[in-house]
Amino acid sequence: MKWDFTGEQVVKAEVDYSLEEFRGDFYLEVQENFPEYEKKALDSIYRLAYDVCYCVATQRDLEELLKHCKQKGIKADMKYLELIRDSNLENIDMLKAIFARKVSEFMDAGLNSKDALNRLDEYHRTVISGS
């Protein structure tokens, strides 16, 4: 995706760009990249691509995501997950910026870093459950 602002501006709260907005923009990008796919297939591609971005942005292991995919019957291998990662580096950077801003907000509200990270996980689960 292309933005008229930077991740640094998001982190510094110079620009307000939410996770919900990011997810909406990301879905549109997937839709533009795969115009021939029907909604169900697009949703699947989007979810996997977002999960890869989320894993990398939060420093989680793609191996764990791969195990999860296999458990869910999703046909993917590490090479495919790495391809998704490598083609979404700018999106991952923006997601990192959104998360960093959110953690900063939680810490400004009085949470320590560990509790702020836990709150970030709760926030993320709330946002994705509403999608």
Side-chain angles (χ1 to χ4, degrees):
M1 287 182 281
K2 297 293 177 204
W3 301 274
D4 56 359
F5 51 88
T6 66
E8 185 175 335
Q9 289 174 300
V10 171
V11 171
K12 292 179 178 179
E14 295 170 359
V15 172
D16 187 27
Y17 187 58
S18 69
L19 179 58
E20 294 88 345
E21 290 170 309
F22 173 87
R23 287 174 55 85
D25 291 344
F26 190 56
Y27 187 87
L28 290 175
E29 180 178 291
V30 169
Q31 200 172 33
E32 289 171 8
N33 288 332
F34 300 96
E36 70 280 7
Y37 284 80
E38 294 180 21
K39 182 166 178 17
K40 186 177 179 182
L42 273 175
D43 290 352
S44 294
I45 293 167
Y46 163 77
R47 280 192 305 272
L48 182 59
Y50 179 81
D51 287 349
V52 169
C53 292
Y54 174 79
C55 280
V56 176
T58 58
Q59 300 178 349
R60 288 176 166 87
D61 190 355
L62 283 180
E63 283 288 338
E64 290 300 314
L65 178 58
L66 184 58
K67 287 179 193 173
H68 177 75
C69 288
K70 290 181 190 265
Q71 290 171 348
K72 295 289 186 181
I74 298 169
K75 294 179 181 173
D77 60 16
M78 185 54 73
K79 210 174 200 109
Y80 184 57
L81 298 182
E82 290 169 344
L83 175 68
I84 293 170
R85 178 199 61 205
D86 295 346
S87 62
N88 282 285
L89 296 176
E90 289 177 5
N91 293 331
I92 291 166
D93 285 343
M94 185 59 73
L95 197 54
K96 286 179 185 178
I98 292 166
F99 291 155
R101 179 72 218 143
K102 207 67 180 160
V103 167
S104 179
E105 288 172 10
F106 294 143
M107 291 177 72
D108 289 348
L111 295 179
N112 63 40
S113 59
K114 182 181 178 199
D115 290 341
L117 289 172
N118 288 336
R119 179 71 62 84
L120 177 66
D121 283 341
E122 291 171 22
Y123 164 75
H124 184 258
R125 279 192 300 275
T126 301
V127 169
I128 63 170
S129 68
S131 298

